[in-house]
Protein backbone atom coordinates (compact mmCIF):
# COMPACT_ATOMS: atom_id res chain seq x y z
CA UNK A 1 0.00 0.00 0.00
CA UNK A 2 1.07 3.62 -0.45
CA UNK A 3 3.28 5.13 2.25
CA UNK A 4 3.38 8.24 4.43
CA UNK A 5 5.28 10.25 1.81
CA UNK A 6 2.72 9.45 -0.89
CA UNK A 7 -0.30 10.59 1.10
CA UNK A 8 1.63 13.55 2.42
CA UNK A 9 2.25 14.56 -1.20
CA UNK A 10 -1.46 14.33 -2.03
CA UNK A 11 -2.34 16.33 1.10
CA UNK A 12 0.07 19.08 0.05
CA UNK A 13 -1.34 19.06 -3.49
CA UNK A 14 -4.91 19.44 -2.18
CA UNK A 15 -3.86 22.24 0.16
CA UNK A 16 -2.12 24.06 -2.68
CA UNK A 17 -5.23 23.66 -4.85
CA UNK A 18 -7.43 25.13 -2.10
CA UNK A 19 -9.49 21.95 -1.62
CA UNK A 20 -10.73 21.46 1.93
CA UNK A 21 -13.72 19.15 1.46
CA UNK A 22 -14.32 15.52 0.52
CA UNK A 23 -12.78 15.03 -2.92
CA UNK A 24 -11.89 12.18 -5.23
CA UNK A 25 -8.30 12.19 -6.46
CA UNK A 26 -7.29 10.36 -9.64
CA UNK A 27 -3.58 9.57 -9.72
CA UNK A 28 -2.95 10.06 -13.44
CA UNK A 29 0.42 8.33 -13.39
CA UNK A 30 -1.05 5.18 -11.81
CA UNK A 31 -3.99 5.30 -14.21
CA UNK A 32 -1.62 5.55 -17.17
CA UNK A 33 0.42 2.61 -15.88
CA UNK A 34 -2.80 0.58 -15.65
CA UNK A 35 -3.79 1.55 -19.18
CA UNK A 36 -0.38 0.54 -20.48
CA UNK A 37 -0.63 -2.85 -18.77
CA UNK A 38 -4.12 -3.49 -20.15
CA UNK A 39 -3.06 -2.47 -23.65
CA UNK A 40 0.00 -4.73 -23.50
CA UNK A 41 -2.00 -7.67 -22.15
CA UNK A 42 -4.78 -7.43 -24.75
CA UNK A 43 -2.48 -6.76 -27.73
CA UNK A 44 -3.76 -8.79 -30.71
CA UNK A 45 -6.75 -9.81 -28.63
CA UNK A 46 -10.39 -8.68 -28.51
CA UNK A 47 -11.35 -5.05 -28.98
CA UNK A 48 -11.71 -3.14 -25.72
CA UNK A 49 -15.05 -1.60 -24.80
CA UNK A 50 -14.98 1.04 -22.04
CA UNK A 51 -17.77 0.97 -19.45
CA UNK A 52 -19.23 4.46 -19.02
CA UNK A 53 -21.03 3.80 -15.71
CA UNK A 54 -17.69 2.90 -14.13
CA UNK A 55 -15.88 5.97 -15.49
CA UNK A 56 -18.69 8.55 -15.60
CA UNK A 57 -16.66 11.57 -16.66
CA UNK A 58 -16.28 12.66 -20.26
CA UNK A 59 -12.64 13.80 -19.89
CA UNK A 60 -11.80 10.56 -18.07
CA UNK A 61 -13.50 8.50 -20.78
CA UNK A 62 -11.71 10.50 -23.45
CA UNK A 63 -8.33 9.94 -21.81
CA UNK A 64 -8.93 6.20 -21.49
CA UNK A 65 -10.29 5.81 -25.03
CA UNK A 66 -7.35 7.67 -26.54
CA UNK A 67 -4.76 5.72 -24.57
CA UNK A 68 -6.35 2.37 -25.44
CA UNK A 69 -7.15 3.32 -29.03
CA UNK A 70 -10.83 2.40 -28.86
CA UNK A 71 -14.12 4.11 -29.72
CA UNK A 72 -16.28 1.37 -28.19
CA UNK A 73 -18.40 2.16 -25.15
CA UNK A 74 -20.66 -0.01 -23.01
CA UNK A 75 -23.51 2.09 -21.65
CA UNK A 76 -26.27 1.56 -19.09
CA UNK A 77 -28.31 4.75 -18.65
CA UNK A 78 -29.93 6.78 -21.42
CA UNK A 79 -29.00 10.30 -20.19
CA UNK A 80 -25.35 9.25 -20.01
CA UNK A 81 -25.65 7.48 -23.37
CA UNK A 82 -26.85 10.72 -24.94
CA UNK A 83 -23.94 12.67 -23.43
CA UNK A 84 -21.43 10.09 -24.66
CA UNK A 85 -22.85 10.13 -28.20
CA UNK A 86 -22.69 13.91 -28.28
CA UNK A 87 -19.16 14.12 -26.89
CA UNK A 88 -17.61 11.42 -29.06
CA UNK A 89 -18.73 11.65 -32.67
CA UNK A 90 -17.18 8.31 -33.59
CA UNK A 91 -18.25 6.35 -30.50
CA UNK A 92 -20.12 3.08 -31.02
CA UNK A 93 -22.23 2.16 -28.02
CA UNK A 94 -23.48 -1.21 -26.79
CA UNK A 95 -26.05 -1.34 -24.02
CA UNK A 96 -25.03 -3.56 -21.13
CA UNK A 97 -28.60 -4.06 -19.96
CA UNK A 98 -31.96 -4.06 -21.75
CA UNK A 99 -33.78 -0.74 -21.79
CA UNK A 100 -37.58 -0.67 -21.50
CA UNK A 101 -38.93 -0.04 -24.98
CA UNK A 102 -41.01 2.84 -23.61
CA UNK A 103 -37.84 4.52 -22.32
CA UNK A 104 -36.22 4.20 -25.74
CA UNK A 105 -39.33 5.57 -27.44
CA UNK A 106 -39.29 8.54 -25.05
CA UNK A 107 -35.60 9.17 -25.77
CA UNK A 108 -36.31 9.22 -29.50
CA UNK A 109 -39.27 11.55 -29.01
CA UNK A 110 -37.14 14.07 -27.07
CA UNK A 111 -34.16 13.88 -29.41
CA UNK A 112 -33.44 16.08 -32.41
CA UNK A 113 -32.75 14.59 -35.82
CA UNK A 114 -29.00 14.16 -35.37
CA UNK A 115 -29.37 12.39 -32.04
CA UNK A 116 -32.10 10.15 -33.43
CA UNK A 117 -29.73 9.22 -36.21
CA UNK A 118 -27.03 8.46 -33.66
CA UNK A 119 -29.46 6.21 -31.76
CA UNK A 120 -29.94 4.27 -34.99
CA UNK A 121 -26.40 4.25 -36.39
CA UNK A 122 -24.16 4.20 -33.33
CA UNK A 123 -26.13 2.36 -30.67
CA UNK A 124 -26.66 -1.38 -30.32
CA UNK A 125 -29.66 -2.05 -28.09
CA UNK A 126 -29.72 -5.16 -25.91
CA UNK A 127 -32.62 -7.62 -26.06
CA UNK A 128 -33.13 -10.36 -23.49
CA UNK A 129 -36.51 -11.97 -24.29
CA UNK A 130 -38.81 -12.67 -27.26
CA UNK A 131 -41.25 -10.19 -25.73
CA UNK A 132 -38.68 -7.39 -25.79
CA UNK A 133 -37.77 -8.37 -29.32
CA UNK A 134 -41.41 -7.83 -30.33
CA UNK A 135 -41.51 -4.49 -28.50
CA UNK A 136 -38.41 -3.20 -30.26
CA UNK A 137 -39.70 -4.42 -33.62
CA UNK A 138 -42.88 -2.44 -32.98
CA UNK A 139 -40.83 0.59 -31.95
CA UNK A 140 -38.67 0.42 -35.09
CA UNK A 141 -41.82 0.14 -37.18
CA UNK A 142 -43.35 3.21 -35.56
CA UNK A 143 -40.11 5.16 -36.01
CA UNK A 144 -39.71 4.02 -39.58
CA UNK A 145 -36.02 3.47 -38.82
CA UNK A 146 -33.89 0.33 -38.45
CA UNK A 147 -32.37 -0.36 -35.04
CA UNK A 148 -29.22 -2.30 -34.27
CA UNK A 149 -29.66 -4.97 -31.61
CA UNK A 150 -27.65 -7.59 -29.76
CA UNK A 151 -28.95 -10.51 -27.74
CA UNK A 152 -28.18 -10.96 -24.06
CA UNK A 153 -27.29 -14.58 -23.36
CA UNK A 154 -27.02 -16.45 -20.08
CA UNK A 155 -23.59 -18.07 -19.87
CA UNK A 156 -23.85 -19.04 -16.23
CA UNK A 157 -24.53 -15.89 -14.25
CA UNK A 158 -28.27 -16.57 -14.07
CA UNK A 159 -29.27 -12.93 -14.44
CA UNK A 160 -31.58 -13.34 -17.39
CA UNK A 161 -31.05 -13.27 -21.10
CA UNK A 162 -31.65 -16.10 -23.54
CA UNK A 163 -31.04 -19.26 -21.58
CA UNK A 164 -30.21 -21.77 -24.30
CA UNK A 165 -29.05 -21.78 -27.92
CA UNK A 166 -32.47 -23.13 -28.88
CA UNK A 167 -34.13 -20.11 -27.27
CA UNK A 168 -31.80 -17.81 -29.19
CA UNK A 169 -32.42 -19.71 -32.44
CA UNK A 170 -36.15 -19.18 -31.97
CA UNK A 171 -35.60 -15.43 -31.47
CA UNK A 172 -33.48 -15.32 -34.62
CA UNK A 173 -36.32 -17.00 -36.49
CA UNK A 174 -38.67 -14.28 -35.27
CA UNK A 175 -36.11 -11.69 -36.31
CA UNK A 176 -35.82 -13.17 -39.80
CA UNK A 177 -39.58 -13.19 -40.14
CA UNK A 178 -39.81 -9.47 -39.43
CA UNK A 179 -39.54 -6.48 -41.72
CA UNK A 180 -35.76 -6.07 -41.51
CA UNK A 181 -36.04 -3.15 -39.08
CA UNK A 182 -34.00 -4.92 -36.41
CA UNK A 183 -30.43 -5.80 -37.37
CA UNK A 184 -28.54 -8.29 -35.24
CA UNK A 185 -25.00 -7.18 -34.45
CA UNK A 186 -24.14 -10.00 -32.06
CA UNK A 187 -24.23 -11.14 -28.45
CA UNK A 188 -23.47 -9.98 -24.92
CA UNK A 189 -22.74 -12.64 -22.31
CA UNK A 190 -21.59 -11.53 -18.86
CA UNK A 191 -19.71 -13.81 -16.47
CA UNK A 192 -19.13 -11.69 -13.37
CA UNK A 193 -20.00 -14.72 -11.27
CA UNK A 194 -16.81 -16.54 -12.27
CA UNK A 195 -14.33 -14.85 -9.88
CA UNK A 196 -16.63 -15.69 -6.95
CA UNK A 197 -16.87 -19.44 -7.61
CA UNK A 198 -15.10 -21.27 -4.75
CA UNK A 199 -12.41 -23.88 -5.34
CA UNK A 200 -14.82 -26.54 -4.11
CA UNK A 201 -16.77 -26.04 -7.35
CA UNK A 202 -13.76 -25.63 -9.61
CA UNK A 203 -12.87 -22.01 -8.93
CA UNK A 204 -12.79 -19.08 -11.37
CA UNK A 205 -10.79 -20.86 -14.08
CA UNK A 206 -13.31 -23.67 -14.44
CA UNK A 207 -16.21 -21.21 -14.29
CA UNK A 208 -14.71 -19.10 -17.10
CA UNK A 209 -14.10 -22.20 -19.22
CA UNK A 210 -17.70 -23.27 -18.69
CA UNK A 211 -18.96 -19.80 -19.62
CA UNK A 212 -16.89 -19.82 -22.80
CA UNK A 213 -18.21 -23.25 -23.76
CA UNK A 214 -21.78 -22.03 -23.28
CA UNK A 215 -20.98 -18.92 -25.33
CA UNK A 216 -19.78 -21.08 -28.23
CA UNK A 217 -23.16 -22.79 -28.40
CA UNK A 218 -24.91 -19.45 -28.83
CA UNK A 219 -22.45 -18.20 -31.43
CA UNK A 220 -23.18 -21.26 -33.56
CA UNK A 221 -26.73 -19.93 -34.00
CA UNK A 222 -25.54 -16.75 -35.71
CA UNK A 223 -24.68 -16.17 -39.33
CA UNK A 224 -21.21 -14.68 -39.98
CA UNK A 225 -22.66 -11.19 -40.55
CA UNK A 226 -24.41 -11.38 -37.15
CA UNK A 227 -21.11 -11.82 -35.26
CA UNK A 228 -19.76 -8.27 -35.37
CA UNK A 229 -19.99 -7.99 -31.58
CA UNK A 230 -19.30 -11.04 -29.43
CA UNK A 231 -18.97 -9.28 -26.10
CA UNK A 232 -18.03 -10.70 -22.73
CA UNK A 233 -15.84 -9.89 -19.80
CA UNK A 234 -15.86 -7.13 -17.27
CA UNK A 235 -13.23 -5.53 -15.10
CA UNK A 236 -12.74 -8.68 -13.02
CA UNK A 237 -12.21 -10.96 -16.01
CA UNK A 238 -11.30 -8.87 -19.08
CA UNK A 239 -7.59 -9.66 -18.97
CA UNK A 240 -8.37 -13.39 -19.14
CA UNK A 241 -9.48 -12.91 -22.77
CA UNK A 242 -6.03 -12.00 -24.08
CA UNK A 243 -5.62 -13.87 -27.36
CA UNK A 244 -9.13 -15.35 -27.27
CA UNK A 245 -10.28 -16.58 -30.67
CA UNK A 246 -14.02 -16.57 -29.87
CA UNK A 247 -14.75 -13.34 -27.98
CA UNK A 248 -13.99 -10.28 -30.12
CA UNK A 249 -15.14 -7.54 -27.72
CA UNK A 250 -14.42 -7.26 -23.97
CA UNK A 251 -15.63 -4.67 -21.48
CA UNK A 252 -13.49 -2.97 -18.84
CA UNK A 253 -13.98 0.06 -16.60
CA UNK A 254 -13.53 0.01 -12.84
CA UNK A 255 -10.32 -2.03 -12.92
CA UNK A 256 -8.54 0.89 -14.58
CA UNK A 257 -8.88 2.81 -11.29
CA UNK A 258 -8.75 -0.34 -9.14
CA UNK A 259 -11.09 0.33 -6.24
CA UNK A 260 -11.10 -2.10 -3.30
CA UNK A 261 -13.59 -4.57 -4.77
CA UNK A 262 -11.10 -5.25 -7.57
CA UNK A 263 -8.26 -6.40 -5.34
CA UNK A 264 -7.93 -9.92 -6.68
CA UNK A 265 -5.09 -12.05 -8.09
CA UNK A 266 -6.26 -11.63 -11.70
CA UNK A 267 -5.71 -7.86 -11.42
CA UNK A 268 -2.59 -7.95 -9.26
CA UNK A 269 -0.58 -5.96 -11.79
CA UNK A 270 -2.92 -2.97 -11.64
CA UNK A 271 -2.41 -0.12 -9.18
CA UNK A 272 -4.95 1.75 -7.06
CA UNK A 273 -5.43 5.06 -8.90
CA UNK A 274 -8.44 6.50 -7.07
CA UNK A 275 -8.51 7.90 -3.53
CA UNK A 276 -11.09 9.75 -1.49
CA UNK A 277 -9.61 12.49 0.66
CA UNK A 278 -11.54 14.29 3.38
CA UNK A 279 -10.50 16.69 6.16
CA UNK A 280 -10.48 15.87 9.84
CA UNK A 281 -12.78 18.23 11.75
CA UNK A 282 -12.15 17.16 15.35
CA UNK A 283 -9.71 14.94 17.25
CA UNK A 284 -10.54 14.02 20.84
CA UNK A 285 -10.75 11.48 23.62
CA UNK A 286 -13.98 9.67 22.83
CA UNK A 287 -17.01 9.55 25.12
CA UNK A 288 -20.37 7.90 24.73
CA UNK A 289 -23.56 9.83 25.47
CA UNK A 290 -25.26 8.82 28.73
CA UNK A 291 -23.71 7.65 32.01
CA UNK A 292 -19.96 8.25 32.04
CA UNK A 293 -19.14 4.75 33.30
CA UNK A 294 -20.49 3.28 30.07
CA UNK A 295 -17.59 4.76 28.12
CA UNK A 296 -15.05 3.08 30.42
CA UNK A 297 -16.90 -0.24 30.31
CA UNK A 298 -17.09 -0.29 26.53
CA UNK A 299 -13.44 0.68 26.21
CA UNK A 300 -12.35 -2.09 28.56
CA UNK A 301 -14.42 -4.53 26.51
CA UNK A 302 -12.78 -3.27 23.33
CA UNK A 303 -16.07 -2.02 21.91
CA UNK A 304 -15.25 1.69 21.86
CA UNK A 305 -12.01 3.57 21.07
CA UNK A 306 -10.11 5.79 23.47
CA UNK A 307 -9.23 8.33 20.76
CA UNK A 308 -11.12 9.21 17.63
CA UNK A 309 -11.59 11.78 14.94
CA UNK A 310 -14.68 13.17 13.31
CA UNK A 311 -14.31 13.73 9.58
CA UNK A 312 -16.01 15.92 6.98
CA UNK A 313 -18.75 13.65 5.66
CA UNK A 314 -18.97 9.92 6.05
CA UNK A 315 -20.86 6.73 5.40
CA UNK A 316 -18.74 6.48 2.27
CA UNK A 317 -18.62 3.47 -0.04
CA UNK A 318 -14.93 3.36 0.78
CA UNK A 319 -12.40 1.85 3.19
CA UNK A 320 -10.00 4.02 5.24
CA UNK A 321 -6.37 3.42 4.23
CA UNK A 322 -4.38 6.31 5.71
CA UNK A 323 -3.34 6.84 8.39
CA UNK A 324 -3.18 3.09 8.89
CA UNK A 325 -5.37 1.70 11.63
CA UNK A 326 -8.32 4.08 11.23
CA UNK A 327 -11.61 2.24 11.44
CA UNK A 328 -15.29 2.91 11.86
CA UNK A 329 -16.97 2.10 15.18
CA UNK A 330 -20.23 0.18 15.03
CA UNK A 331 -21.22 1.14 18.58
CA UNK A 332 -21.15 4.84 17.71
CA UNK A 333 -22.63 4.19 14.30
CA UNK A 334 -22.19 5.84 10.94
CA UNK A 335 -22.95 9.38 9.91
CA UNK A 336 -23.09 11.00 6.47
CA UNK A 337 -22.32 14.33 8.13
CA UNK A 338 -19.49 13.69 10.65
CA UNK A 339 -18.24 10.12 10.68
CA UNK A 340 -16.37 8.92 13.77
CA UNK A 341 -13.21 7.01 12.98
CA UNK A 342 -11.41 5.18 15.76
CA UNK A 343 -7.71 6.11 15.89
CA UNK A 344 -4.91 3.73 16.81
CA UNK A 345 -2.57 4.62 19.66
CA UNK A 346 0.00 7.19 18.64
CA UNK A 347 -1.86 8.32 15.53
CA UNK A 348 -0.66 11.89 14.85
CA UNK A 349 -3.83 13.23 13.19
CA UNK A 350 -4.86 16.79 13.94
CA UNK A 351 -7.82 18.90 12.83
CA UNK A 352 -7.60 19.97 9.16
CA UNK A 353 -5.35 17.02 8.24
CA UNK A 354 -6.65 14.80 5.45
CA UNK A 355 -7.59 11.17 5.87
CA UNK A 356 -7.70 8.91 2.84
CA UNK A 357 -10.02 6.15 1.71
CA UNK A 358 -10.09 3.79 -1.22
CA UNK A 359 -13.57 3.58 -2.76
CA UNK A 360 -15.00 0.08 -2.89
CA UNK A 361 -16.21 0.69 -6.45
CA UNK A 362 -16.06 3.46 -9.02
CA UNK A 363 -19.56 3.43 -10.51
CA UNK A 364 -21.92 5.83 -8.70
CA UNK A 365 -19.13 6.79 -6.24
CA UNK A 366 -17.44 9.01 -8.83
CA UNK A 367 -20.62 11.06 -9.18
CA UNK A 368 -20.96 12.00 -5.49
CA UNK A 369 -18.06 14.37 -4.86
CA UNK A 370 -18.01 16.96 -7.60
CA UNK A 371 -15.24 17.13 -10.19
CA UNK A 372 -12.40 14.64 -10.03
CA UNK A 373 -9.09 16.10 -8.90
CA UNK A 374 -6.39 14.95 -11.31
CA UNK A 375 -3.01 14.43 -9.65
CA UNK A 376 0.16 14.47 -11.72
CA UNK A 377 3.77 15.06 -10.67
CA UNK A 378 2.70 15.92 -7.14
CA UNK A 379 0.16 18.58 -8.08
CA UNK A 380 -3.54 18.84 -8.84
CA UNK A 381 -3.20 19.76 -12.50
CA UNK A 382 -6.85 19.89 -13.53
CA UNK A 383 -10.41 18.99 -12.65
CA UNK A 384 -12.47 16.51 -14.64
CA UNK A 385 -16.22 17.13 -14.34
CA UNK A 386 -18.42 14.09 -13.81
CA UNK A 387 -21.65 13.16 -15.54
CA UNK A 388 -24.77 13.63 -13.47
CA UNK A 389 -26.84 10.51 -12.97
CA UNK A 390 -29.74 12.19 -14.72
Amino acid sequence: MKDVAYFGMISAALEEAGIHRPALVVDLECLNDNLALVEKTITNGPALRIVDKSLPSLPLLSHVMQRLGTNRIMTFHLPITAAVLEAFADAHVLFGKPMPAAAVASAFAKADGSRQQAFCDRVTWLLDTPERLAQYASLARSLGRPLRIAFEINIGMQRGGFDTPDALAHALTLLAGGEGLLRCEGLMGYEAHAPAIPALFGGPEVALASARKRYMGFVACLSPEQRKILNSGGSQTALAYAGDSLINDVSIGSALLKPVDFDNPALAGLKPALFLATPVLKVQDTRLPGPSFMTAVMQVLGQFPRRGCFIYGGRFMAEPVFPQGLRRNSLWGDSSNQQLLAMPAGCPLAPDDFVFFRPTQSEAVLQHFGPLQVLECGKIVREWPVLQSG
Side-chain angles (χ1 to χ4, degrees):
M1 193 52 213
K2 305 291 188 178
D3 60 13
V4 173
Y6 179 79
F7 289 109
M9 175 267 291
I10 301 181
S11 293
L14 291 169
E15 290 275 356
E16 183 180 351
I19 297 166
H20 306 282
R21 56 171 176 76
L24 283 171
V25 177
V26 174
D27 185 325
L28 193 61
E29 292 159 273
C30 289
L31 171 60
N32 287 342
D33 287 346
N34 291 345
L35 293 169
L37 177 63
V38 169
E39 183 178 36
K40 180 180 178 180
T41 302
I42 303 293
T43 298
N44 300 321
L48 290 168
R49 188 174 293 275
I50 310 307
V51 179
D52 64 12
K53 70 177 173 64
S54 302
L55 307 173
S57 162
L58 293 175
L60 174 58
L61 285 170
S62 177
H63 182 83
V64 168
M65 292 164 69
Q66 289 177 19
R67 288 273 175 152
L68 295 179
T70 184
N71 64 347
R72 301 184 185 211
I73 296 284
M74 177 168 277
T75 194
F76 292 83
H77 183 47
L78 277 163
I80 290 180
T81 308
V84 166
L85 290 171
E86 185 173 341
F88 306 114
D90 65 340
H92 287 263
V93 172
L94 169 66
F95 265 88
K97 64 185 178 188
M99 288 288 101
V104 179
S106 178
F108 267 97
K110 295 174 182 177
D112 61 19
S114 62
R115 183 172 292 176
Q116 288 187 0
Q117 198 62 47
F119 284 154
C120 295
D121 294 344
R122 297 196 284 130
V123 176
T124 299
W125 307 90
L126 194 67
L127 306 184
D128 59 330
T129 63
E131 292 76 18
R132 209 177 302 273
L133 173 61
Q135 292 169 357
Y136 273 69
S138 177
L139 172 61
R141 193 177 306 114
S142 67
L143 293 170
R145 297 170 177 264
L147 298 176
R148 301 169 187 266
I149 59 101
F151 292 102
E152 181 179 9
I153 56 174
N154 177 16
I155 56 171
M157 190 171 171
Q158 313 302 345
R159 195 177 66 178
F162 289 89
D163 206 43
T164 64
D166 285 346
L168 176 63
H170 176 66
L172 289 165
T173 299
L174 297 175
L175 187 69
E179 303 166 34
L181 289 172
L182 297 182
R183 300 175 182 175
C184 177
E185 299 285 295
L187 305 173
M188 191 283 286
Y190 193 32
E191 27 63 317
H193 64 288
I197 299 300
L200 177 65
F201 301 109
E205 189 173 328
V206 169
L208 282 172
S210 174
R212 189 179 190 279
K213 183 177 180 180
R214 283 180 60 87
Y215 207 119
M216 289 177 64
F218 289 102
V219 173
C221 299
L222 303 178
S223 65
E225 62 271 17
Q226 293 174 326
R227 302 180 184 182
K228 297 183 184 72
I229 299 171
L230 300 177
N231 173 269
S232 194
S235 279
Q236 299 276 16
T237 57
L239 300 186
Y241 289 93
D244 196 285
S245 59
L246 174 70
I247 304 302
N248 62 22
D249 187 286
V250 293
S251 305
I252 192 166
S254 297
L256 302 174
L257 296 172
K258 205 178 183 183
V260 170
D261 288 351
F262 296 83
D263 287 346
N264 68 56
L267 303 176
L270 298 177
K271 303 174 181 179
L274 179 69
F275 296 93
L276 171 58
T278 195
V280 172
L281 301 179
K282 307 163 187 173
V283 177
Q284 62 190 59
D285 292 335
T286 53
R287 293 176 295 175
L288 286 168
S292 59
F293 73 89
M294 287 303 300
T295 296
V297 169
M298 291 297 104
Q299 288 174 339
V300 168
L301 294 174
Q303 300 299 304
F304 195 62
R306 297 184 182 280
R307 291 281 286 174
C309 62
F310 290 90
I311 60 173
Y312 190 151
R315 203 184 285 266
F316 303 131
M317 293 177 66
E319 300 293 339
V321 292
F322 189 83
Q324 290 186 2
L326 292 179
R327 65 189 188 279
R328 61 178 292 275
N329 181 257
S330 57
L331 185 61
W332 183 274
D334 293 331
S335 169
S336 299
N337 175 44
Q338 295 183 68
Q339 177 87 44
L340 170 68
L341 293 179
M343 294 167 53
C347 183
L349 275 178
D352 301 335
D353 289 346
F354 282 98
V355 297
F356 292 88
F357 296 73
R358 283 181 63 202
T360 54
Q361 62 185 59
S362 62
E363 62 183 83
V365 175
L366 264 67
Q367 296 166 295
H368 287 171
F369 298 94
L372 306 176
Q373 306 301 316
V374 181
L375 177 78
E376 186 176 26
C377 299
K379 293 185 178 295
I380 302 299
V381 293
R382 65 186 65 91
E383 291 186 334
W384 282 344
V386 297
L387 290 162
Q388 298 304 304
S389 59

